[in-house]
Amino acid sequence: MSTIPPCPKCHSEFVYQDAALLVCPECAYEWDASLTTDSKKNRQEIDHAVKDAHGTELMDGDSVSVIKDLKVKGSSSVVKVGTKVKNIRLVEGDHNIDCKIDGIGAMKLKSEFVKKA
């Protein structure tokens, strides 16, 4: 009997194999059966998923809205609640979103202060 690893996204144990793919029925995540959760590449994909304040996964090019007034360091400007930011770029680090905000310019934001628009 083969041992099928749990789902790398939701950690469900109800995973089944469909041809060359492993499928999780709970979160509908599919991955290559040759990749295991112990592999370095698979673990990096899971750890670097950037999520907004509500847990929605963000991707490059998405539009987001700011959910809290944010003071701009070194300036008297404030990014107001509801400011829409288009075409974000995800980067590594504490401030994991690079973007341009109209009237302010290039900024780095934390994903915990935005929601997907």
PDB file of all heavy atoms in Angstrom, residues 29 53 57 94 99 105:
ATOM      1  N   TYR A  29      -6.928  21.556  -4.554  1.00  0.00           N
ATOM      2  CA  TYR A  29      -5.541  21.760  -4.979  1.00  0.00           C
ATOM      3  C   TYR A  29      -5.040  20.487  -5.658  1.00  0.00           C
ATOM      4  O   TYR A  29      -5.292  19.383  -5.189  1.00  0.00           O
ATOM      5  CB  TYR A  29      -4.666  22.106  -3.771  1.00  0.00           C
ATOM      6  CG  TYR A  29      -3.223  22.385  -4.111  1.00  0.00           C
ATOM      7  CD1 TYR A  29      -2.877  23.478  -4.890  1.00  0.00           C
ATOM      8  CD2 TYR A  29      -2.200  21.569  -3.644  1.00  0.00           C
ATOM      9  CE1 TYR A  29      -1.557  23.756  -5.198  1.00  0.00           C
ATOM     10  CE2 TYR A  29      -0.879  21.835  -3.945  1.00  0.00           C
ATOM     11  CZ  TYR A  29      -0.563  22.930  -4.726  1.00  0.00           C
ATOM     12  OH  TYR A  29       0.749  23.202  -5.038  1.00  0.00           O
ATOM     13  N   ALA A  53      -5.419  40.747   3.756  1.00  0.00           N
ATOM     14  CA  ALA A  53      -5.928  40.773   5.124  1.00  0.00           C
ATOM     15  C   ALA A  53      -7.051  39.769   5.350  1.00  0.00           C
ATOM     16  O   ALA A  53      -7.286  39.339   6.477  1.00  0.00           O
ATOM     17  CB  ALA A  53      -6.420  42.182   5.466  1.00  0.00           C
ATOM     18  N   GLU A  57      -5.387  34.873  -1.751  1.00  0.00           N
ATOM     19  CA  GLU A  57      -4.040  34.865  -2.305  1.00  0.00           C
ATOM     20  C   GLU A  57      -3.886  35.957  -3.358  1.00  0.00           C
ATOM     21  O   GLU A  57      -4.748  36.143  -4.206  1.00  0.00           O
ATOM     22  CB  GLU A  57      -3.728  33.498  -2.924  1.00  0.00           C
ATOM     23  CG  GLU A  57      -2.280  33.342  -3.266  1.00  0.00           C
ATOM     24  CD  GLU A  57      -1.908  31.916  -3.601  1.00  0.00           C
ATOM     25  OE1 GLU A  57      -2.605  30.991  -3.155  1.00  0.00           O
ATOM     26  OE2 GLU A  57      -0.916  31.745  -4.318  1.00  0.00           O
ATOM     27  N   ASP A  94       9.592  41.997   4.350  1.00  0.00           N
ATOM     28  CA  ASP A  94       8.530  42.392   5.272  1.00  0.00           C
ATOM     29  C   ASP A  94       7.426  43.154   4.548  1.00  0.00           C
ATOM     30  O   ASP A  94       6.249  42.895   4.741  1.00  0.00           O
ATOM     31  CB  ASP A  94       9.138  43.247   6.388  1.00  0.00           C
ATOM     32  CG  ASP A  94       8.150  43.528   7.506  1.00  0.00           C
ATOM     33  OD1 ASP A  94       7.288  42.669   7.741  1.00  0.00           O
ATOM     34  OD2 ASP A  94       8.265  44.595   8.126  1.00  0.00           O
ATOM     35  N   CYS A  99       4.379  48.910  -5.455  1.00  0.00           N
ATOM     36  CA  CYS A  99       3.306  49.503  -6.251  1.00  0.00           C
ATOM     37  C   CYS A  99       3.551  51.000  -6.435  1.00  0.00           C
ATOM     38  O   CYS A  99       4.452  51.567  -5.835  1.00  0.00           O
ATOM     39  CB  CYS A  99       1.966  49.294  -5.564  1.00  0.00           C
ATOM     40  SG  CYS A  99       1.862  50.041  -3.934  1.00  0.00           S
ATOM     41  N   GLY A 105       3.344  58.159  -5.331  1.00  0.00           N
ATOM     42  CA  GLY A 105       4.476  57.590  -6.056  1.00  0.00           C
ATOM     43  C   GLY A 105       4.740  56.153  -5.682  1.00  0.00           C
ATOM     44  O   GLY A 105       3.861  55.454  -5.178  1.00  0.00           O
TER      45      GLY A 105
END
